[in-house]
Amino acid sequence: MFGRAARRGLVGLVGTAALLSVAACSSGGGGETGAGGGGGDDLIRVGFSQLGAESGWRTANTESVKESLTEENGFDLTFVDAQQKQENQIKALRDFVAQDVDVIAFSPVIETGWDEVLQEIKDAGIPVVLVDRTVDTTVEDPYVTWIGADFEQEGTTAGEWVAANAPDAKVFELQGTLGSGAQVDREEGFNAVVGDQVIGKASGNFTRAEGKTAVEAALQAYPETTLIFSHNDDMGLGAIEAIEAAGKVPGKDIQLVTVDGVRDGLQALVDKKFNYVVECNPVFGDQLAELITAVANGEDVPETTIVVDEAFDQTITQDEVDARAY
Ligand code: AHR
């Protein structure tokens, strides 16, 4: 299995958002492969299980995937939104097996609990492309290739900003969905740098509403909080509401460091309510389409494709935010 360990330390956060393919390759076939996407009227039949629509990031990622996996580009896409429920994803994956699609792609809501269904997919000879998040499974070679961001590096970058700019801050950590690759790895990266500054943590499940609720409770439990590290922009935006309702000034009384870089998050940075945003780029539909085509054709593909992110501070301009694609 690759996944978290293989992604550790692969890349830094540099430059504009771009894709870096890691050189190690694996066979795209893995046994039976689907209809060749290479020619004629053959469409590649893809079952894509998206984990939900919990955040601005997810919405942008879904749009990117749908814009790329079109009939015009050679795909017959079945897209299913799991509404952040693992049981819905498992059902969708089993439906894809029953439909005998050529390739299954999915973004797992949490890391564990996939052994049975991954084995069923493997037994059916359908190659899996893992998208965005990672799995932790006992199944051998459970997927052909994975594309996503280096979550641990994102947490590290956030921690380095805190260490350099707020070394005395008392930090509350607003975690994403517990047990998800994004939560586990961002927390690991951040805590490796400034874990000794963290005075409390709770999950806001990557949504604005639950982020707000978690911060309302945190401000009661940890009134000494001076900085919140939020695992995504949406929860950070919910935190702004909770902080203002408590009569405090976000960005000043309580600093906010977030991950994602969606337009609403960057607007909060321009408005000086967020202090630092580490990007997690959701727009990789074209690269996913290339990988799926190669996998369907039994070609070699990289084991991992890391979406490289950048980071933003309050020097970002309104023009840059207005030009943001998502
Ligand atoms: O897995 C990526 C994360 O999932 C994004 O940071 C978050 O906004 C989304 O819900």
Side-chain angles (χ1 to χ4, degrees):
M1 193 190 85
F2 41 98
R4 191 181 324 150
R7 284 183 291 130
R8 240 176 233 139
L10 280 174
V11 289
L13 303 184
V14 290
T16 51
L19 287 169
L20 173 67
S21 296
V22 178
C25 287
S26 68
S27 165
E32 290 175 45
T33 54
D41 293 330
D42 282 337
L43 297 176
I44 302 172
R45 297 173 63 236
V46 181
F48 187 100
S49 169
Q50 179 61 286
L51 68 85
E54 74 283 6
S55 62
W57 188 99
R58 189 67 51 195
T59 303
N61 180 248
T62 291
E63 276 171 17
S64 175
V65 167
K66 286 186 175 172
E67 273 169 23
S68 298
L69 299 182
T70 60
E71 255 190 55
E72 200 179 33
N73 290 342
F75 301 95
D76 175 4
L77 172 67
T78 304
F79 181 95
V80 183
D81 176 346
Q83 299 176 325
Q84 280 191 293
K85 292 196 174 76
Q86 185 175 38
E87 62 267 31
N88 291 349
Q89 283 205 282
I90 290 175
K91 182 183 176 315
L93 297 178
R94 291 200 164 120
D95 288 346
F96 296 153
V97 171
Q99 291 158 19
D100 194 25
V101 297
D102 300 320
V103 178
I104 289 176
F106 80 111
S107 182
V109 63
I110 56 173
E111 291 192 311
T112 56
W114 305 103
D115 294 358
E116 216 175 303
V117 72
L118 283 173
Q119 190 60 54
E120 289 166 22
I121 296 170
K122 192 172 176 179
D123 292 345
I126 300 175
V128 171
V129 174
L130 208 56
V131 181
D132 165 39
R133 299 217 183 140
T134 43
V135 291
D136 183 357
T137 176
T138 54
V139 176
E140 227 174 284
D141 299 326
Y143 49 93
V144 179
T145 185
W146 169 84
I147 179 168
D150 187 339
F151 297 137
E152 187 177 343
Q153 180 60 57
E154 290 168 351
T156 302
T157 301
E160 285 169 352
W161 186 89
V162 172
N165 296 280
D168 300 321
K170 296 191 171 27
V171 179
F172 178 78
E173 185 164 358
L174 191 48
Q175 304 155 297
T177 304
L178 294 178
S180 68
Q183 174 264 318
V184 172
D185 290 3
R186 284 175 188 161
E187 187 164 336
E188 194 169 312
F190 185 78
N191 281 264
V193 184
V194 285
D196 55 340
Q197 288 182 237
V198 177
I199 56 170
K201 47 183 83 171
S203 175
N205 202 24
F206 283 124
T207 70
R208 194 177 294 209
E210 288 172 82
K212 181 182 176 194
T213 306
V215 171
E216 281 166 353
L219 295 179
Q220 298 292 323
Y222 309 101
E224 69 275 37
T225 299
T226 60
L227 188 148
I228 293 174
F229 169 47
S230 173
H231 287 192
N232 82 346
D233 284 344
D234 286 79
M235 296 189 296
L237 294 165
I240 288 176
E241 293 177 34
I243 292 166
E244 289 177 340
K248 296 195 172 186
V249 181
K252 288 200 172 72
D253 298 332
I254 299 183
Q255 293 184 296
L256 279 153
V257 175
T258 70
V259 183
D260 272 358
V262 297
R263 198 184 293 116
D264 286 354
L266 296 184
Q267 185 62 51
L269 202 52
V270 169
D271 296 341
K272 313 284 189 231
K273 295 184 177 188
F274 281 0
N275 299 79
Y276 190 64
V277 176
V278 180
E279 184 183 45
C280 182
N281 183 6
V283 183
F284 52 79
D286 286 351
Q287 290 74 25
L288 177 64
E290 275 174 32
L291 285 172
I292 289 175
T293 302
V295 167
N297 289 330
E299 294 163 11
D300 282 352
V301 289
E303 286 181 356
T304 62
T305 302
I306 303 285
V307 182
V308 180
D309 307 313
E310 57 181 321
F312 309 94
D313 62 20
Q314 289 181 342
T315 59
I316 190 170
T317 64
Q318 186 64 54
D319 285 349
E320 287 175 89
V321 176
D322 293 344
R324 192 79 171 159
Y326 54 92

